[in-house]
Amino acid sequence: MAMATIRTEPFTYVAGFCGQMLQMNLTKNMNLDSVVNTIGGMRAGSTDCSLPMQDALAKKIPVDCFIVYTDNETWAGTMHPVQALKQYRDKMGINAKLIVCGMTATGFSIADPSDPGSLDIVGFDATAPSVIANFNS
């Protein structure tokens, strides 16, 4: 998904997180083996899905949509992702969207169900990329 996003979106910042943000240095010219090796070399640990919003706010990165892919671990931090998104929106003045994709079909929820700019995807199949693209447009 990172490869597809990098190759189709003109302004993309891809990072990983595991208790802290991790640089991934992926480029649109990388082949699948290189991407898999880069991502596979990341360490595993706690999953704090608020980190992308907190990191973008700290670095003042303008983001229109955060897309988080997770193995269904969702919240291991001190700030809930919904709070981090609200803080990002308020301080940056950007009505950023949040899409959280749980890669396995087990129940979870991060998104605020009353927020039309947030989407949880539980399980991942061939239709997920088009759902993401349509939600983000």
Side-chain angles (χ1 to χ4, degrees), residues 59-117:
K59 294 177 180 172
K60 303 286 190 241
I61 300 171
V63 176
D64 61 353
C65 186
F66 294 94
I67 304 175
V68 175
Y69 297 96
T70 179
D71 59 359
N72 277 11
E73 294 295 325
T74 56
W75 182 32
T78 59
M79 180 183 292
H80 193 279
V82 169
Q83 294 169 309
L85 179 62
K86 181 178 178 349
Q87 185 178 61
Y88 178 85
R89 287 173 172 168
D90 290 346
K91 292 190 176 180
M92 291 292 291
I94 300 171
N95 194 25
K97 294 179 180 179
L98 171 62
I99 302 171
V100 181
C101 301
M103 301 304 283
T104 61
T106 55
F108 83 96
S109 181
I110 289 179
D112 178 354
S114 66
D115 179 359

Side-chain angles (χ1 to χ4, degrees), residues 19-91:
Q20 65 184 30
M21 292 302 293
L22 304 170
Q23 290 298 119
M24 293 179 64
N25 301 319
L26 301 180
T27 69
K28 65 181 178 180
N29 299 322
M30 294 173 81
N31 63 29
L32 180 59
D33 287 340
S34 298
V35 172
V36 168
N37 287 335
T38 299
I39 293 172
M42 291 176 51
R43 61 185 181 170
S46 63
T47 303
D48 181 353
C49 291
S50 72
L51 286 177
M53 286 76 74
Q54 291 183 57
D55 186 59
L57 179 58
K59 294 177 180 172
K60 303 286 190 241
I61 300 171
V63 176
D64 61 353
C65 186
F66 294 94
I67 304 175
V68 175
Y69 297 96
T70 179
D71 59 359
N72 277 11
E73 294 295 325
T74 56
W75 182 32
T78 59
M79 180 183 292
H80 193 279
V82 169
Q83 294 169 309
L85 179 62
K86 181 178 178 349
Q87 185 178 61
Y88 178 85
R89 287 173 172 168
D90 290 346
K91 292 190 176 180

